[in-house]
Amino acid sequence: MSDPNGLIQPGNSAPGFTLAATPDGHEVGPEQFRGRPVVLAFYPADWSPVCGDQMALYQAAMPVFDQYQAALLGISVDSIWSHRAFAQARGIEFPLLADFEPKGEVARRYGAYTSGGEAARALVVLDQAGTVAWSYLSAPDVNPGADGIFDALDRLARQGVMAR
């Protein structure tokens, strides 16, 4: 990790940001979803096999994210054009955000940037107020799945932070 503090930890306020979500300049960020939990899925590269499987898994699990009223945002340092082609090829409908220029700025702020110049494979769940409720750093070659995310969303639901 290039950030000496490592991945952002629960209890911290999430750094605000907006990133390009479409080639026409539409930007998306977690603040747009205040009042709902937000899942940030940082990943190294659009076209790598593990990343493709991970993002496709999250697309398949969208009905569960919807049950929690959770917004899901994929984030990598790839360009918006790469994201567009990747999303079309893999049937991904949730926003893939381009942390492209300055390269990896948002990933760095979350402690999810590697010395190799990519976003780390990291998951961050924000509560409805924008506070980090859970974070997890996975090995680069391991798909972290969705169980940890859903456990964090369950905890938020039990705490009464959100309705399920």
Side-chain angles (χ1 to χ4, degrees), residues 36-41 54-73 94 123-125 134 145-151 153 162-164:
R36 299 170 54 187
V38 177
V39 178
L40 304 176
Q54 180 184 2
M55 295 301 116
L57 169 70
Y58 297 160
Q59 181 61 47
M62 282 310 295
V64 181
F65 286 103
D66 291 343
Q67 287 176 8
Y68 290 106
Q69 299 174 357
L72 174 62
L73 305 175
F94 58 88
L123 301 170
V124 179
V125 175
W134 178 79
D147 290 345
I149 297 168
F150 296 144
D151 289 347
L153 294 171
M162 55 183 245
R164 182 168 177 205

Side-chain angles (χ1 to χ4, degrees), residues 19-22 26-29 33 39 41 43 55 59 62 71-76 80 83 87 92-98:
L19 290 171
T22 62
H26 178 70
E27 293 194 340
V28 174
F33 302 99
V39 178
Y43 64 102
M55 295 301 116
Q59 181 61 47
M62 282 310 295
L72 174 62
L73 305 175
I75 304 170
S76 84
I80 196 61
H83 284 335
I92 296 167
E93 297 176 358
F94 58 88
L96 298 178
L97 307 182

Side-chain angles (χ1 to χ4, degrees), residues 35-154:
R36 299 170 54 187
V38 177
V39 178
L40 304 176
F42 291 93
Y43 64 102
D46 284 338
W47 299 99
S48 75
V50 176
C51 296
D53 291 347
Q54 180 184 2
M55 295 301 116
L57 169 70
Y58 297 160
Q59 181 61 47
M62 282 310 295
V64 181
F65 286 103
D66 291 343
Q67 287 176 8
Y68 290 106
Q69 299 174 357
L72 174 62
L73 305 175
I75 304 170
S76 84
V77 299
D78 291 311
S79 74
I80 196 61
W81 294 104
S82 178
H83 284 335
R84 182 180 184 183
F86 176 66
Q88 287 175 346
R90 295 302 299 246
I92 296 167
E93 297 176 358
F94 58 88
L96 298 178
L97 307 182
D99 194 7
F100 187 70
E101 185 59 42
K103 185 177 180 182
E105 178 182 342
V106 171
R108 291 173 205 266
R109 292 172 63 199
Y110 278 80
Y113 191 75
T114 71
S115 59
E118 299 175 322
R121 192 174 310 285
L123 301 170
V124 179
V125 175
L126 310 179
D127 69 16
Q128 68 186 64
T131 300
V132 176
W134 178 79
S135 62
Y136 177 75
L137 180 64
S138 181
D141 58 345
V142 175
N143 181 342
D147 290 345
I149 297 168
F150 296 144
D151 289 347
L153 294 171
D154 274 341

